[in-house]
Structure formats: structure tokens, C-alpha cells
């Protein structure tokens, strides 16, 4: 009897779920009708009805609605279960990446693989990998600003542009080499970060986001219109590739060279960001993200601390900008649109705000997947947008959530060691 | 006894509302002074003006510490005020919940330490030593406050009373010449209040000057050397606990107009 | 002088469009404190819907008046439907999340919608039919201000008045104001907060759609990217007037429109967008509460 009842309840629940999903599906059919089904040609005066799209939408939304309900249920159940256990729950991926026992061999293997990569794969593949590595560094740079300091910067690409144009201009006008401009570009970008950041960093989070977006667009528009300075939309070409002790490199050699430069920069960035995270400054960022007023009352200079994060992020964008200009030998303002900022932000958000491994994984997934699944590349931005929304709803901590290490103090031994605990970052 | 804090004719207006009018207040070294008054009298506004969160409309706030003589605090930002030697706690607890208890106190050490980007990246000898000192000093403060057992816990896992004490520990870490406590006993049970009383007394005996806002009259009367009473933004009385207890104006302010009838 | 008047009216026209879109930003911000980044996309979808429906009806030989009414109606209905759905899908589940989460979700939504229209329709610029006929009585001043401009300016002012009236007098309007002031309290006294938020999105979206229709027939071409720039500018207008304030949004729209018009007319047309963005940055730095907004007092 009781079993029957439970079975009945289950059936009823399933039926209501199906009717609900049918309604959702019907609603989306209505919603997408004018844009997805009708296609007009005003010149030829023809109307095309793409009924097959309606079918796709109907089936697609029905399934998504059913699955998302199921997923949400699972989520709540898991949360309820987690609430019963006092010990913090650490996910499988987080455990792997935070246990030195696993992390070090993985990192070592990755490094080894990276070193021999150009020897195994074609220059074409190496080139793509270099691009992905550039986004890893851009992501890690933005991660300092967004993930660690909790400042949503939507104009990050502006600093990337500053770096790229510094090299392009200094190289074409003054014939300065790559290795000289690399630090110059980084410093210029940092200066820009400070100049832009100083007036706006006292703004509230969402306003800050919009102002940085505005700044990013201003810089792009200036580059586009100030022809005497930047040669406008046609851009700057014939930028020198980096030299290796004055040796002339063939195209393939210089592709490999670029790749190794990027590997070096990635390693340096990981080292740097990791150290920063566990420092006096890193702690101040976390505290500032949680409570600005309390932070100031503890004597932390809000503006200076935020500005440091902003300038550090910009520094990395500037360096990658210089590398970008050297790699492509041609730049124009079209490479520095808001979309680029959005992609870098997507890497950080989807990978896992504040988590170094997360950002690296995020960059590889978001940059390499569309490269290799060419069929998907049209749908790339569509998917980015959708995934950003879904990540915020279902997994705000990203693919790999940030597991912050707390200081564990042992008063007897007077030693402090870092230990793992599940404190999610990105809760700015 | 030398004067630590000298507030002269402090006024604060929000639009047309006079939140504070010509408030004078002095604190000498080693003293516990209480600021009391009915709800909405302007006590927390006074704290906010003195600590730089609000900019007072007029008046002067002067701080005297062994390091600095007669520094004007009004116009300084909250973090500068803390650096000059005055730290506070908050009425509604404002701890960094996702950080450990020890790390909360370490944040208090921030303004007394120096290492920066370069030191963080290359872990210089200076940075390593400073970091070790920060940890040891923070731990020592936790011992003083009686929270050392929970040093490695998350701040959010502490009980309410413990969180209030952690606020005090965090403020102490900034090495203040004057400690400002905003309703430290609010929401505490009698046992916790008793512990708090003992703690404040111990701090005072170690030479810490304290300014206290509190509603718990027993605590105020037991601890304070002198009391200031605020009502509608103006000082209506000052004096020793005994004088305040018997002051008719104060009684009227607390119990309303009909009380003396 | 005539050039000045011409610029003045073209500024008012631009400003009206910004104002229509800004109303949506301001209303949503007032109620749930979110910068609805996808709002510009709603406006773009409104323009596209109007384009598709108007062209279809034109091909089927409908009379001009019917086309205007039906296309406008369709734009408003579908934009509202999109606005409503976006709120339900992307914002409602994370209403209590930290402040930046809904903003990131909104950015994701904006990217998604842009590319949805790009894929569903086209990436090319489409020529938008001129829907509003030239009135004869406008003939003498037509060289200074066109009929379309006049229609846009007048309808913006009428819409603003109606909206203000609606929010001041109607039951729903009162519920909206209550929700804006204190959501928890509003819930406690029995206001259906979810419904109020939905209504806000629907009204804001319908206004954006009207804006989309009007500007498309004014400029004469549309593409999937128009929402981004217009959205940022409308947001500038909302902030300029004081976000959360309805007359503020309209005032801000007009000021921004006039600034742009005069700046491009007298200085240089290359930097049109730079003026708008600079204005945005300057206001946020010097007067974040805007012209008619209330300054926030931080509670400690």
C-alpha cells in the first residue's frame, strides 16, 4: 500500500514536471518565433519560414527544462546533505589540485609536455597553443583584479592594447627591440592602470564595472580615430618578431621561440600570483572584498590596496599585449573590443574566480575548444554567454573553486603552515 | 595623567538634522570613559565622526599619543586615524567571516607592517621575519583575549560573544593609544558580559585608554571612571558614575518627561 | 542659428531614444539594484522584431497604418516577453547572491542575446523601412526638424508623463515604489514582490522596444550590435539623471543627446561615442548620485 502511494506520488510528480516543461517549451517557441522562424528579404520581397528551427527550440527547451529541474533538485539535496556534515566538503577536482601529492606530478608532467610540444606538433598547433597560453596569462592577470581583489574590471582589454601599441609604436618609430619594450609596455600599462584607477576605485562594485567598460571603449575609439598616432583602423603592420641574441630566425623557429617565451611567462605568472595570494597584500585584498569599512577601520588604505591590484593586473595585460604585437606582427583596434574583455572575464568566471588552476583550465577550455571544434566556432560566443549565466546560477565558484589556504599556527613549535580549507573566493 | 583625546565642539549635520551639536569630550591616558544616552542620541555618529567614517560639519578632534602630539584627526580617512593610534570595534559585528580567527587579527597588524609586492613575490628575509612576527604577535593578542584555542577556526564559527571579543583583539592588533568599543556587550549573556568586564578591566590595568558606548548600565557603572551623557546630539551631563546616577536631567532623558512627576 | 536649432532638435531626438531605454534601466535598478546589462539587447530585439513583422506585413500588402500599429505592438509584446524571461532565467535564481553575480549573469545574457540574433537573423546591416509618413503640416519646418524627430520627441514626453502617473497613482505603481524602498517590508505587508519585479521588467522592456522601433525608423538601419552602444549610452543617461529616478532618466537622456549632438556638430563627429563615455566616467567620479538622485548614506 505505502509503496503504491509512493509510486503514485512519483508518477504524479513526473507528470506535473512534464506538463511544466511542455509549457516552458511552448513559451520559448512563442518567444523565438519572429526571429528564429521568420526570415525576410526586404529587397527580394520574400518571406522564408524556417519551421525546423521551431522544432529544435521545442525539443531543446523541453529537455533543458526537465534536466535543469533534475539538476536543481540534486543541488538542493547535496546542499542539504552538506549542511548535515560539519566537515567542509571538498570536491574531487579541488582535492586533486590542492594535494601536493597529486598536484606536483601533474604540474611536472604538464611542464615536460609543454617543453617537447613544438617537437611533436606542427607549427600551426604550436601557434594555437601560444595563443591559449597568452589567454592563460591574461586570465591570471585579470584574476588578480576580479578574483583576488573583487573588483569587476570590464575594460581589461585597454591595458592589453596599451602593451600592444607600445611595442608596435616603439618598434616601428624608434626601432626598439622586443626585450626592451616588454618591461616598458608592462610599466606603461601599469601607469595607465594607476591613472585610470585612481579616480574610479572608490566607486561601488557595479559602477566600477561600467566605468572601466567606458574607459576601455574610450581607449579603443581613440586608437581608431587618432590616425596620426595609431594609424587608425588600418592598424600598424611589419612589427618585428622578438630576436634571439641577434640571430635571424626562420618563421617556424620564431613560432617555437614565441611558444617558449609564453611558457616562461606562464610559469613566472603562476609563481608570482601564488606567492601574492599568501602574502600581507593578498590577505588585505580578501579582507577588503569582504568588508571595506571594517578594513579601513583596521588601518588598511582602501585606495592604495585596490590600486595595487588594478595596476598589477594591468601590468600583466601590458606584457601579453607586447607579446601579442610581436607574435602577429600586425595590430589594429579591432583586436581590442569589449568582446575581448568579456572573453577574458569568461575565462576567469567559468574557470573559477580566484583559483589559479581554475583560470588555467578555463583558458584552455574556452580558447582551445572552439579552435579544434571549428563547427562550433560560430556558436562560440553564444555558448560563452549561456555558460556564464549557467555558471552564475549553478556553480558560482566556477569549474575549479578556489580553495584558500589558511594559516595554521602551532604555538608550541612556533611554526605556521598553510592548510587547505574550503572557503570559496569570489564572494565579493 | 596626560590628555589622549580632546574633542572640541564637534557638530555633525545630515541635511537639516543636527545629529551632534557642540560635543566636548576628553580622555586621559589609562582612563575608561563611557558615552551613554538613549537610542538615537548620536553615540555611534560620534564614533563615526571621531574615527573618520563621517566628516564632521565643524569642531576639532585632537589626538595625543606618545608618538604624536596634538594631531588633528578630523578630515583624515578612517585608515589614517587608525594609523595615528585609535582603533574601534563595531556595534554590528564586522569580522572577516571567511578568514580564520588568527588571520582576522593579522589584518589588524597590516598597518604596522610594511612588506609589499616585491617582498611577497621573492619572500625576502625581511618579509619572512615580518610575517613570522605578525603571526606571533597576533597569537599573543589572542592569548590575552582568551581566544587562542580557536586561532585556526573560521571567524564565522565562533559564538556571538567570542566574535565580539575577536573584534576587540583585531582592534588591539593595530596598537591603539585609545580603544573605542561600540556596544561590546550587546547581545551577550550574563556570563559573557562578566568575562568582558574582566577583560576590559585587565586592558585598563595594562594602561590602555578606552572609550566605551554601552547600554548595559551595570557594566558602565562598574567600569567607567567618567561618563558622558548624550541626548538628541547634545551633551546633557558629565561626571563620575555616582554623579550621573543621581543627575535629574539624565534620569529625565532616559525615562521621559513624566518621570519626575 | 539655424544650424544650432537643427543640432538642438537632433539632440532632443537622440536624447528621447536614450531616455526611453534609460527608463528601463532606472526602473529595474530602482527595484532590484541590478544594472540590467542585457537591457540594450531587449531594445535591439524590439527593433529586429519590428523589422521582421513590418517587412512581412508589407510583403503581404497591409496598409501603412496597420503596419505601424502591428509592428509596434509586436515589438512591445516580444520585447516584454524577452525581458520577463530573462529575469526569470538569469536573475531570479541569484537574487540573493553577492552583488557581482547577477551583473556577470547579465553580461553573459547580453552576449548570448547578441549572438542569438546574429545567428537567427544576420550579421549585416539591415535597411529599416521608414514607417512614419511625413505629415503635411510639418512641411514648413521640415528642413530643421523632420516628422520622425517630432514624433519621437513628443511620444517620449507623453510616455514619461504616463509612466510617472502610473507609478504615482496606480496600485501596481505603489507596490513598485514600496518594493523599491524595502523589499522585505513590502513582502511582509502582502505585496507579491516577484510579480512586481516581473511587471517592472515587462514595462521597461516594452519602452525599450518602442525606443528600438523609433530609432530604427529614424536612422534607417539596424544590426545585432546596436543594443550594446545604445545600452551603454542609455545607462549613462540613467546615471546622469540619478539612477532610480524616472524624471531623472528623461532629463539625463536629453542632456546626453544634446551634448552628443552639439559636440559632433561643432567639434568632431569621429569622437561621438568618446563624448558619451567621457560624460559617463565624469559623472560617476564627481556625482555618482546623479542630478536628481539621492545620495546614499553608508550605514555603519
Amino acid at each position: 500500500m505505502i509503496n503504491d502511494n509512493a509510486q503514485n506520488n512519483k508518477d504524479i510528480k513526473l507528470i506535473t514536471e512534464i506538463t511544466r516543461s511542455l509549457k516552458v517549451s511552448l513559451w520559448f517557441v512563442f518567444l523565438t518565433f519572429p526571429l528564429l522562424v521568420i526570415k525576410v528579404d526586404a529587397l527580394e520581397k520574400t518571406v522564408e519560414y524556417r519551421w525546423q528551427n521551431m522544432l529544435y527550440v521545442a525539443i531543446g527547451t523541453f529537455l533543458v527544462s526537465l534536466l535543469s529541474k533534475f539538476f536543481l533538485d540534486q543541488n538542493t539535496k547535496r546542499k542539504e546533505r552538506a549542511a548535515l556534515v560539519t566537515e567542509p566538503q571538498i570536491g574531487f577536482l579541488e582535492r586533486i589540485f590542492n594535494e601536493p601529492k597529486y598536484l606536483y606530478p601533474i604540474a611536472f608532467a604538464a611542464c615536460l609536455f609543454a617543453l617537447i610540444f613544438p617537437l611533436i606538433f606542427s607549427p600551426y598547433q604550436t601557434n594555437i597553443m601560444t595563443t591559449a597560453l597568452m589567454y592563460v596569462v591574461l586570465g591570471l592577470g585579470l584574476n588578480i583584479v576580479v578574483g583576488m581583489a573583487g573588483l569587476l574590471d570590464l575594460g581589461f582589454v585597454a591595458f592589453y592594447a596599451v602593451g600592444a601599441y607600445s611595442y608596435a609604436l616603439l618598434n616601428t618609430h624608434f626601432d626598439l627591440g622586443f626585450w626592451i619594450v616588454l618591461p616598458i609596455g608592462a610599466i606603461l600599462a601599469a601607469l595607465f592602470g594607476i591613472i585610470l584607477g585612481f579616480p574610479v576605485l572608490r566607486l561601488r562594485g557595479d559602477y566600477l564595472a561600467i566605468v572601466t567598460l567606458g574607459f576601455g571603449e574610450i581607449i579603443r575609439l581613440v586608437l581608431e580615430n587618432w590616425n596620426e598616432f595609431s594609424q587608425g583602423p588600418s592598424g600598424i603592420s611589419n612589427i618585428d618578431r622578438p630576436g634571439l641574441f641577434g640571430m635571424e630566425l626562420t618563421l617556424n623557429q620564431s613560432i617555437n621561440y614565441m611558444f617558449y617565451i609564453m611558457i616562461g611567462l606562464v610559469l613566472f605568472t603562476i609563481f608570482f600570483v601564488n606567492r601574492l595570494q599568501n602574502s600581507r597584500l593578498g590577505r588585505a585584498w580578501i579582507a577588503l572584498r569582504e568588508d571595506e569599512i571594517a578594513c579601513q577601520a583596521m588601518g588598511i588604505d582602501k585606495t592604495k590596496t585596490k590600486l595595487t591590484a588594478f595596476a598589477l593586473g594591468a601590468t600583466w595585460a601590458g606584457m601579453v599585449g607586447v607579446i601579442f604585437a610581436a607574435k602577429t606582427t600586425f595590430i589594429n583596434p579591432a583586436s581590442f573590443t569589449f568582446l575581448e574583455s568579456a572573453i577574458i572575464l569568461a575565462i576567469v568566471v567559468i574557470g573559477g574566480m580566484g583559483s589559479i588552476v581554475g583560470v588555467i583550465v578555463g583558458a584552455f577550455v574556452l580558447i582551445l575548444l572552439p579552435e579544434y571544434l571549428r563547427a562550433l566556432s560560430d556558436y562560440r560566443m553564444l555558448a560563452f554567454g549561456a555558460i556564464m549565466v549557467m555558471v552564475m546560477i549553478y556553480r558560482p565558484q566556477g569549474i575549479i573553486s578556489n580553495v584558500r589556504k589558511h594559516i595554521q599556527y602551532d604555538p608550541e613549535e612556533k611554526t605556521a603552515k598553510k592548510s587547505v580549507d574550503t572557503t570559496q573566493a569570489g564572494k565579493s | 595623567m596626560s590628555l589622549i583625546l580632546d574633542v572640541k565642539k564637534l557638530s555633525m549635520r545630515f541635511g537639516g538634522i543636527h545629529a551632534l551639536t557642540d560635543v566636548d569630550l576628553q580622555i586621559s591616558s589609562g582612563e575608561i570613559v563611557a558615552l551613554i544616552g538613549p537610542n538615537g542620541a548620536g553615540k555611534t555618529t560620534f564614533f563615526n565622526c571621531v574615527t573618520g567614517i563621517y566628516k564632521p560639519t565643524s569642531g576639532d578632534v585632537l589626538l595625543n599619543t606618545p608618538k604624536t602630539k596634538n594631531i588633528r584627526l578630523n578630515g583624515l580617512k578612517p585608515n589614517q586615524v587608525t594609523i595615528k593610534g585609535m582603533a574601534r570595534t563595531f556595534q554590528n559585528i564586522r569580522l572577516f567571516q571567511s578568514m580564520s580567527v588568527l588571520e582576522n587579527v593579522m589584518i589588524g597588524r597590516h598597518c604596522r607592517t610594511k612588506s609589499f609586492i616585491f617582498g611577497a613575490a621573492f619572500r625576502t628575509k625581511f618579509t619572512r621575519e615580518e610575517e613570522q612576527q605578525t603571526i606571533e604577535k597576533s597569537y599573543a593578542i589572542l592569548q590575552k583575549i582568551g581566544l587562542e584555542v580557536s586561532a585556526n577556526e573560521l571567524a564565522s564559527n565562533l559564538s556571538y560573544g567570542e566574535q565580539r571579543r575577536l573584534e576587540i583583539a583585531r582592534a588591539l592588533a593595530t596598537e591603539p593609544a585609545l580603544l573605542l568599543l561600540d556596544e561590546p556587550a550587546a547581545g551577550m549573556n550574563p556570563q559573557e558580559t562578566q568575562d568582558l568586564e574582566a577583560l576590559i578591566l585587565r586592558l585598563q590595568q595594562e594602561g590602555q585608554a578606552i572609550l566605551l558606548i554601552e547600554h548595559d548600565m551595570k557594566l558602565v557603572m562598574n567600569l567607567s571612571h567618567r561618563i558622558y551623557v548624550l541626548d538628541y546630539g547634545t551633551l546633557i551631563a558629565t561626571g563620575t558614575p555616582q554623579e550621573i546616577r543621581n543627575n535629574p536631567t539624565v534620569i529625565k532623558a532616559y525615562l521621559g518627561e513624566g518621570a519626575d512627576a | 542659428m539655424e544650424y544650432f536649432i537643427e543640432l538642438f532638435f537632433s539632440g532632443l531626438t537622440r536624447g528621447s531614444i536614450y531616455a526611453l531605454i534609460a527608463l528601463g534601466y532606472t526602473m529595474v535598478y530602482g527595484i532590484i539594484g541590478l544594472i540590467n546589462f542585457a537591457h540594450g539587447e531587449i531594445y535591439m530585439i524590439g527593433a529586429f522584431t519590428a523589422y521582421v513583422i513590418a517587412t512581412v506585413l508589407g510583403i503581404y500588402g497591409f496598409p501603412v497604418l496597420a503596419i505601424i500599429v502591428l509592428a509596434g505592438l509586436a515589438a512591445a509584446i516580444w520585447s516584454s516577453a524577452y525581458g520577463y524571461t530573462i529575469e526569470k532565467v538569469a536573475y531570479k535564481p541569484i537574487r540573493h547572491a553577492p552583488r557581482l553575480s547577477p551583473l556577470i549573469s547579465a553580461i553573459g545574457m547580453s552576449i548570448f542575446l547578441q549572438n542569438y540574433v546574429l545567428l537567427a537573423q544576420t550579421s549585416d546591416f539591415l535597411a529599416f523601412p521608414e514607417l512614419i509618413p511625413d505629415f503635411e503640416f510639418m512641411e514648413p519646418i521640415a528642413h530643421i526638424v523632420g516628422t520622425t524627430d517630432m514624433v519621437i520627441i513628443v511620444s517620449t514626453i507623453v510616455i514619461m508623463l504616463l509612466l510617472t502617473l502610473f507609478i504615482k497613482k496606480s496600485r501596481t505603481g505603489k507596490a513598485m515604489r514600496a518594493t523599491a524602498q524595502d523589499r522585505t517590508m513590502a513582502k511582509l505587508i502582502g505585496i507579491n514582490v516577484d510579480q512586481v519585479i516581473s511587471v517592472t521588467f515587462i514595462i521597461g522592456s516594452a519602452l525599450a522596444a518602442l525606443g528600438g522601433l523609433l530609432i530604427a525608423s529614424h536612422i534607417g538601419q539596424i544590426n545585432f550590435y546596436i543594443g550594446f552602444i545604445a545600452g551603454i549610452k542609455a545607462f549613462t543617461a540613467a546615471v546622469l539623471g540619478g539612477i532610480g529616478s524616472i524624471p531623472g532618466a528623461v532629463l539625463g537622456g536629453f542632456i546626453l543627446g544634446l551634448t552628443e549632438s552639439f559636440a559632433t556638430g561643432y567639434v568632431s563627429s569621429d569622437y561621438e561615442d568618446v563624448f558619451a563615455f567621457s560624460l559617463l566616467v565624469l559623472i560617476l567620479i564627481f556625482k555618482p548620485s546623479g542630478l536628481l538622485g539621492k545620495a546614499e548614506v553608508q550605514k555603519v
Side-chain angles (χ1 to χ4, degrees):
Chain A
M1 245 344 235
I2 295 159
N3 260 341
D4 263 14
N5 257 344
Q7 186 60 38
N8 268 346
N9 273 342
K10 234 179 182 173
D11 284 349
I12 291 169
K13 213 183 146 207
L14 192 67
I15 289 168
T16 43
E17 264 322 301
I18 288 177
T19 31
R20 196 189 61 90
S21 295
L22 272 178
K23 278 182 201 156
V24 169
S25 152
L26 214 62
W27 172 252
F28 275 94
V29 164
F30 161 75
L31 205 61
T32 52
F33 178 74
L35 296 183
L36 208 54
V37 175
I38 306 178
K39 171 127 185 164
V40 291
D41 191 324
L43 294 176
E44 303 275 321
K45 293 211 176 300
T46 53
V47 187
E48 185 196 342
Y49 292 96
R50 298 167 293 180
W51 297 112
Q52 75 279 11
N53 285 349
M54 186 183 265
L55 192 69
Y56 299 151
V57 167
I59 296 171
T61 48
F62 178 76
L63 290 178
V64 167
S65 163
L66 260 189
L67 286 177
S68 73
K69 176 73 189 169
F70 174 76
F71 199 73
L72 269 182
D73 277 355
Q74 289 286 313
N75 239 356
T76 22
K77 265 186 207 152
R78 202 168 44 223
K79 266 181 202 152
E80 275 162 14
R81 231 178 300 142
L84 291 178
V85 190
T86 41
E87 274 299 297
Q89 298 275 311
I90 305 184
F92 171 71
L93 284 174
E94 283 77 22
R95 203 168 313 149
I96 285 187
F97 285 116
N98 281 293
E99 190 71 50
K101 197 166 64 186
Y102 301 117
L103 180 63
Y104 291 157
I106 292 176
F108 184 72
C111 282
L112 209 65
F113 179 67
L115 283 179
I116 56 169
F117 188 91
L119 308 175
I120 313 174
F121 294 97
S122 69
Y124 171 76
Q125 305 287 353
T126 312
N127 216 1
I128 290 174
M129 200 42 108
T130 310
T131 309
L133 291 174
M134 279 165 54
Y135 279 93
V136 167
V137 177
L138 284 174
L140 288 173
L142 184 62
N143 187 38
I144 299 177
V145 187
V146 180
M148 291 160 82
L151 308 164
L152 187 52
D153 181 357
L154 296 180
F156 195 61
V157 79
F159 308 122
Y160 185 41
V162 168
Y165 270 88
S166 328
Y167 181 50
L169 292 170
L170 289 174
N171 182 256
T172 47
H173 291 311
F174 303 104
D175 213 25
L176 289 183
F178 172 82
W179 290 108
I180 298 170
V181 183
L182 190 63
I184 297 179
I187 291 166
L188 277 178
L191 278 179
F192 254 79
I194 291 170
I195 294 167
L196 300 193
F198 196 70
V200 302
L201 281 174
R202 60 199 178 88
L203 291 174
R204 233 180 31 211
D206 41 2
Y207 277 12
L208 176 75
I210 300 290
V211 169
T212 49
L213 191 160
F215 268 138
E217 285 296 290
I218 289 174
I219 288 197
R220 184 181 61 81
L221 288 165
V222 167
L223 288 174
E224 215 154 72
N225 290 300
W226 192 2
N227 288 325
E228 303 77 49
F229 175 73
S230 63
Q231 298 177 28
S234 51
I236 301 171
S237 48
N238 289 326
I239 305 164
D240 287 340
R241 289 199 165 81
L244 182 62
F245 305 114
M247 278 191 288
E248 279 291 311
L249 296 173
T250 64
L251 182 61
N252 281 353
Q253 279 173 333
S254 73
I255 284 174
N256 289 349
Y257 186 39
M258 277 320 308
F259 177 81
Y260 287 121
I261 291 175
M262 270 324 297
I263 291 282
L265 186 59
V266 168
L267 290 177
F268 174 66
T269 311
I270 294 173
F271 166 81
F272 184 86
V273 173
N274 186 39
R275 285 260 165 116
L276 215 53
Q277 221 164 14
N278 299 314
S279 72
R280 169 177 174 269
L281 196 56
R283 278 197 302 274
W285 284 334
I286 297 166
L288 204 58
R289 213 171 51 195
E290 280 198 27
D291 191 332
E292 284 193 2
I293 289 186
C295 235
Q296 282 181 290
M298 289 304 109
I300 293 177
D301 188 331
K302 182 173 95 173
T303 320
K304 187 181 161 197
T305 310
K306 283 184 175 182
L307 210 54
T308 312
F310 212 62
L312 274 177
T315 310
W316 259 261
M319 278 198 272
V320 185
V322 173
I323 293 175
F324 173 72
K327 173 173 173 279
T328 53
T329 70
F330 164 75
I331 54 165
N332 71 348
S335 309
F336 309 104
T337 57
F338 168 68
L339 210 62
E340 204 66 23
S341 290
I343 291 175
I344 305 169
L345 180 67
I347 288 173
V348 176
V349 170
I350 296 172
M353 266 192 273
S355 150
I356 296 175
V357 182
V359 171
I360 296 172
V361 172
F364 280 121
V365 170
L366 292 192
I367 302 302
L368 293 184
L369 264 191
E371 270 316 324
Y372 288 114
L373 301 171
R374 274 284 164 197
L376 282 184
S377 66
D378 281 349
Y379 297 91
R380 182 169 83 140
M381 291 314 293
L382 189 78
F384 273 20
I387 294 173
M388 267 169 95
V389 176
M390 286 195 294
V391 163
M392 280 300 118
I393 295 171
Y394 295 113
R395 205 179 155 80
Q397 71 273 36
I399 300 175
I400 294 171
S401 63
N402 182 26
V403 182
R404 206 170 74 77
K405 295 185 176 72
H406 286 291
I407 291 169
Q408 298 284 329
Y409 183 67
D410 187 344
E412 255 115 77
E413 312 235 335
K414 288 204 167 189
T415 52
K417 63 178 195 321
K418 307 281 192 303
S419 98
V420 170
D421 189 30
T422 43
T423 315
Q424 287 159 18
K427 284 204 276 191
S428 52
Chain B
M1 281 208 290
S2 62
L3 213 55
I4 287 193
L5 184 73
D6 188 3
V7 180
K8 291 177 187 161
K9 293 204 170 301
L10 189 77
S11 296
M12 180 74 206
R13 252 170 301 171
F14 296 106
I17 300 161
H18 294 253
L20 291 173
T21 315
D22 291 340
V23 178
D24 288 304
L25 188 146
Q26 280 87 33
I27 300 171
S28 302
S29 59
E31 217 182 2
I32 298 181
V33 173
L35 181 63
I36 63 170
N39 283 325
K43 302 180 299 284
T44 297
T45 307
F46 178 82
F47 259 35
N48 287 343
C49 284
V50 171
T51 54
I53 290 179
Y54 296 154
K55 210 171 165 224
T57 320
S58 65
D60 257 332
V61 182
L62 300 173
L63 186 73
N64 258 315
T65 67
K67 274 181 242 158
T68 56
K69 289 275 161 255
N70 270 327
I71 290 278
R72 286 190 68 198
L73 292 183
N74 36 335
L76 292 185
K77 288 189 191 142
N79 55 303
Q80 291 166 321
V81 170
T82 309
I83 291 170
K84 296 285 180 236
M86 192 157 68
R88 67 173 292 176
T89 65
F90 291 91
Q91 186 181 336
N92 42 344
I93 297 170
R94 282 178 167 253
L95 290 171
F96 307 112
Q97 302 286 349
S98 77
M99 299 177 105
S100 76
V101 170
L102 185 69
E103 283 169 330
N104 264 281
V105 184
M106 285 168 76
I107 288 289
R109 296 295 308 158
H110 187 97
C111 61
R112 303 291 172 221
T113 45
K114 287 195 197 64
S115 73
F116 208 52
I117 302 171
F118 185 82
F122 299 104
R123 259 179 220 164
T124 54
K125 187 158 173 280
F126 175 80
T127 305
R128 272 179 285 133
E129 283 172 3
E130 192 185 73
E131 193 76 358
Q132 183 66 27
Q133 262 181 16
T134 301
I135 293 174
E136 279 170 22
K137 277 195 179 152
S138 303
Y139 191 80
I141 291 171
L142 283 177
Q143 281 178 316
K144 188 152 77 176
I145 294 293
L147 282 176
E148 74 273 14
V149 218
S150 322
N152 297 331
E153 291 270 348
L154 277 189
S156 53
N157 290 348
L158 293 185
S159 76
Y160 195 77
E162 287 172 329
Q163 292 200 10
R164 285 225 173 271
R165 276 192 292 162
L166 179 54
E167 279 241 348
I168 298 177
R170 195 177 61 172
L172 281 176
T174 67
E175 299 173 6
L178 174 65
L179 181 64
L180 275 61
L181 304 176
D182 196 347
E183 296 199 20
M188 281 190 171
N189 64 31
Q191 181 57 48
E192 285 172 332
T193 311
Q194 231 169 47
D195 292 349
L196 179 76
E197 194 180 312
L199 171 65
I200 295 177
L201 204 62
R202 196 145 32 90
L203 291 176
Q204 187 263 335
Q205 279 158 1
E206 286 171 17
Q208 180 72 57
I210 294 168
L211 173 61
L212 178 76
I213 294 181
E214 189 47 68
H215 278 301
D216 187 325
M217 280 309 138
K218 197 168 146 246
L219 187 81
V220 169
M221 294 298 166
N222 284 349
L223 283 174
S224 328
H225 301 127
R226 286 182 307 118
I227 297 175
Y228 287 79
V229 189
L230 266 182
D231 194 25
Y232 294 110
T234 41
L235 275 184
I236 55 169
T238 58
T240 62
Q242 200 52 44
E243 288 163 8
I244 295 297
R245 211 193 300 260
N246 302 321
N247 186 320
T249 334
V250 176
I251 296 169
K252 202 189 270 178
Y254 266 90
L255 300 177
E257 282 298 330
D260 53 351
Chain C
M1 192 59 199
E2 203 160 273
Y3 186 52
F4 178 84
I5 296 174
E6 200 184 312
L7 287 179
F8 179 76
F9 275 104
S10 101
L12 278 190
T13 314
R14 271 167 193 262
S16 304
I17 308 288
Y18 295 152
L20 280 176
I21 310 171
L23 285 172
Y25 272 116
T26 262
M27 286 169 68
V28 167
Y29 194 92
I31 299 250
I32 55 173
L34 162 74
I35 298 174
N36 181 9
F37 210 84
H39 190 62
E41 270 37 83
I42 297 286
Y43 142 89
M44 180 267 295
I45 283 173
F48 264 90
T49 309
Y51 168 81
V52 168
I53 301 293
T55 316
V56 169
L57 296 178
I59 290 170
Y60 292 158
F62 278 60
V64 177
L65 196 68
I67 293 181
I68 298 176
V69 173
L70 288 175
L73 216 59
I77 288 173
W78 263 288
S79 284
S80 306
Y82 273 94
Y84 171 83
T85 314
I86 290 170
E87 196 269 325
K88 284 275 176 284
V89 171
Y91 305 150
K92 195 176 168 219
I94 44 175
R95 210 177 275 162
H96 301 289
R99 199 163 190 152
L100 289 185
S101 304
L103 187 62
I104 292 173
S105 179
I107 292 169
M109 206 64 210
S110 162
I111 297 174
F112 177 83
L113 288 175
Q114 268 179 30
N115 287 278
Y116 157 69
V117 173
L118 166 78
L119 293 168
Q121 293 284 316
T122 172
S123 61
D124 301 331
F125 272 97
L126 294 171
F128 198 85
E130 202 167 303
L131 291 175
I132 303 161
D134 285 336
F135 298 140
E136 265 173 43
F137 66 86
M138 292 287 292
E139 198 69 48
I141 52 165
H143 58 289
I144 299 174
V145 47
T147 308
T148 318
D149 300 58
M150 216 60 214
V151 170
I152 291 176
I153 297 166
V154 170
S155 39
T156 303
I157 293 171
V158 170
I159 286 170
M160 188 207 96
L161 291 178
L162 287 177
L163 190 65
T164 313
L165 215 62
F166 171 77
I167 287 180
K168 281 259 155 70
K169 300 282 177 201
S170 77
R171 216 178 122 78
T172 318
K174 281 177 192 158
M176 283 165 87
R177 279 186 291 149
T179 311
Q181 269 197 8
D182 189 332
R183 205 191 305 162
T184 321
M185 199 58 216
K187 207 180 259 174
L188 286 176
I189 55 167
I191 291 174
N192 186 344
V193 171
D194 284 346
Q195 199 180 22
V196 168
I197 292 174
S198 289
V199 169
T200 311
F201 270 86
I202 289 172
I203 295 176
S205 305
L207 294 178
L210 279 179
L213 176 73
L214 292 172
I215 201 174
S217 77
H218 174 60
I219 295 177
Q221 58 175 11
I222 54 172
N223 94 340
F224 73 97
Y225 204 59
I226 55 171
F228 175 69
I229 293 284
I232 298 290
K233 289 190 181 172
F235 177 76
T236 308
V239 172
L240 181 57
I243 199 148
S245 150
I246 288 180
V250 176
L251 181 69
F254 283 144
I255 292 178
L256 180 64
L258 290 172
T259 311
E260 268 189 23
S261 181
F262 285 124
T264 50
Y266 288 120
V267 188
S268 157
S269 63
D270 289 343
Y271 290 97
E272 182 193 319
D273 294 344
V274 176
F275 292 125
F277 289 130
S278 310
L279 194 61
L280 171 69
V281 172
L282 290 177
I283 312 157
L284 282 180
I285 293 171
F286 292 108
K287 201 169 184 330
S289 57
L291 295 173
L292 302 182
K294 288 187 206 87
E296 271 178 53
V297 178
Q298 208 154 24
K299 288 293 263 181
V300 180

